[in-house]
Amino acid sequence: MKTLQDVRVLMLSDAPRDSDQLSVWLPSEGASIDSRPWPEQALQLAGSPDVIVIDTHGNEARVDALLDQLKAASATAAIPLIGLSRRPITGSDAAAMTARFNKHLTQPFHPADLVGAIASLVKSMPVVPAAAPTHEESFRSLLETRIARKDLRGALALLNMSGPFRFTSVLRFEADERLTSLWTFDRENPDRDDFPVDAVTSSSYCVRVRDAQAPFQMPDSAADPSVANHPAKASVQSYCGVPLYREDGSFFGTLCQFDLVPRFFGDNTLTRLLGAAPVIQLHLDKLAG
C-alpha cells in the first residue's frame, strides 16, 4: 500500500513552479493533490482536504493573513497545516512557526520528508518511510517534460530547488572565446537572466570542465589551491559543473551551479547534474536555436 493512499492534499504556494516537484512526488505515494496560488484562491476548495501544505515563500505577513482566513472558515479550521519555509528558522521565529503550523519543514528537503509529515498528521495513516530512489524517476520525468517543451528556465529552476547554490546555468562556449548563457536561473531573481554578456571563457571555472572534458567541483575557492590564481576566485566562491556535448560529439558548454559564497554540497549535487546533462543534450539544437 502506498504511504498516502487516498489522502487529499491542498498545496498553497506563492510560486507555483516551486511546487511542481512535490506535485509529482505526492501522487506517486497515492495522494491526490490540488495546487493553488495563495491567498487569493485559498478558500475556493474543491471538497475538503485531509491536510494543507503552505509554501510560505518568506512572506510572513501574507502567511499570517492566509492562516487567519483558513482558521476562520468552518471548512478549513480543523484541517492540519504544514508550513514550508525558505530559510532556517530560529529563536522567536521558530516558536511562531510552531504555533502556526502542525508541522514545519525548511527547504531544501527531500519530498520523502513531506510524505512522512503528512502521514503523521492524517488519522489512521501509518508513517512509512518513502523509498528515496523512486524520487529520481519522478524528478527526471518532470525535467524531461520541461526540456521537451523548451522550458529551459523551468528545468533549471527545478534543478536549483534540489541544491544549495544560488545560480544554475546552461552556458555555451563561443568561437571567439566568450561564454554566453542559454539561461541562468538566479534564485534571488528567478525571472531574469543577468549573466554577463561579455563573459570571457578564461575568467570562468567552466574552462576547467572544457579542458579536462570532465566535471569540476569546488565548494570553497579560498580553500582550493587549484584555483589560487583564478580571476574569479574572489567573486564566484563555489562551483559544480559538468560538460555538455552536441550530437556530433563536439563540446558545447556546461551545465553548472555556482554561488558568490562558499557552498558545501554532497555527492548528490554532481549526480543530479550528470543525470540532467543527457536530457538537456537531446534538445540542445532547439534550446540554443
Side-chain angles (χ1 to χ4, degrees):
M1 179 178 177
K2 294 182 178 180
T3 306
L4 301 182
Q5 192 69 48
D6 300 324
V7 173
R8 294 160 297 178
V9 178
L10 174 63
M11 175 79 67
L12 302 178
S13 175
D14 207 23
R17 282 181 181 272
D18 292 350
S19 64
D20 283 354
Q21 182 181 350
L22 299 176
S23 296
V24 171
W25 180 268
L26 294 179
S28 75
E29 290 297 325
S32 62
I33 183 167
D34 184 8
S35 296
R36 298 170 182 262
W38 60 265
E40 291 81 2
Q41 300 180 35
L43 299 181
Q44 300 174 18
L45 304 178
S48 178
D50 297 300
V51 65
I52 299 175
V53 179
I54 301 175
D55 186 344
T56 67
H57 214 257
N59 197 327
E60 302 302 326
R62 293 184 73 198
V63 169
D64 284 340
L66 171 61
L67 294 178
D68 288 344
Q69 284 184 292
L70 293 171
K71 294 298 185 183
S74 58
T76 56
I79 296 175
L81 302 174
I82 297 176
L84 311 180
S85 63
R86 303 303 180 95
R87 59 182 177 82
I89 305 296
T90 59
S92 60
D93 289 340
M97 187 67 73
T98 301
R100 291 188 189 110
F101 296 100
N102 301 89
K103 296 282 185 179
H104 166 242
L105 298 173
T106 301
Q107 297 177 337
F109 57 83
H110 195 285
D113 297 332
L114 180 59
V115 170
I118 293 172
S120 70
L121 291 176
V122 179
K123 290 182 178 179
S124 74
M125 189 62 53
V127 181
V128 180
T134 62
H135 169 54
E136 293 304 322
E137 297 175 1
S138 298
F139 186 94
R140 184 181 177 91
S141 175
L142 187 56
L143 185 70
E144 288 175 341
T145 298
R146 290 187 175 188
I147 292 296
R149 68 179 186 228
K150 297 196 292 186
D151 181 14
L152 181 58
R153 176 204 173 279
L156 296 183
L158 186 65
L159 279 167
N160 189 267
M161 280 178 62
S162 64
F165 295 96
R166 174 177 167 181
F167 301 96
T168 302
S169 294
V170 170
L171 302 177
R172 174 171 56 192
F173 282 70
E174 307 292 358
D176 60 359
E177 286 298 299
R178 287 182 305 112
L179 197 62
T180 59
S181 168
L182 297 196
W183 188 270
T184 293
F185 181 84
D186 176 357
R187 188 174 293 179
E188 295 185 9
N189 301 286
D191 296 316
R192 299 204 315 259
D193 181 355
D194 293 331
F195 188 83
V197 294
D198 57 349
V200 179
T201 298
S202 61
S203 67
S204 73
Y205 296 115
C206 294
V207 74
R208 302 285 296 267
V209 178
R210 183 194 66 180
D211 293 350
Q213 299 286 294
F216 176 64
Q217 303 179 76
M218 181 193 65
D220 184 359
S221 60
D224 190 336
S226 73
V227 298
N229 299 316
H230 197 284
K233 175 183 176 181
S235 53
V236 178
Q237 297 185 25
S238 53
Y239 176 93
C240 184
V242 301
L244 293 173
Y245 298 95
R246 298 180 180 87
E247 189 175 358
D248 63 5
S250 62
F251 185 81
F252 175 89
T254 61
L255 170 63
C256 61
Q257 296 187 301
F258 56 95
D259 212 319
L260 310 182
V261 298
R263 294 292 184 189
F264 297 94
F265 49 91
D267 294 341
N268 61 316
T269 296
L270 178 59
T271 300
R272 180 63 55 78
L273 292 181
L274 288 170
V279 179
I280 292 173
Q281 287 174 170
L282 286 175
H283 301 275
L284 271 180
D285 289 344
K286 291 188 293 184
L287 296 172

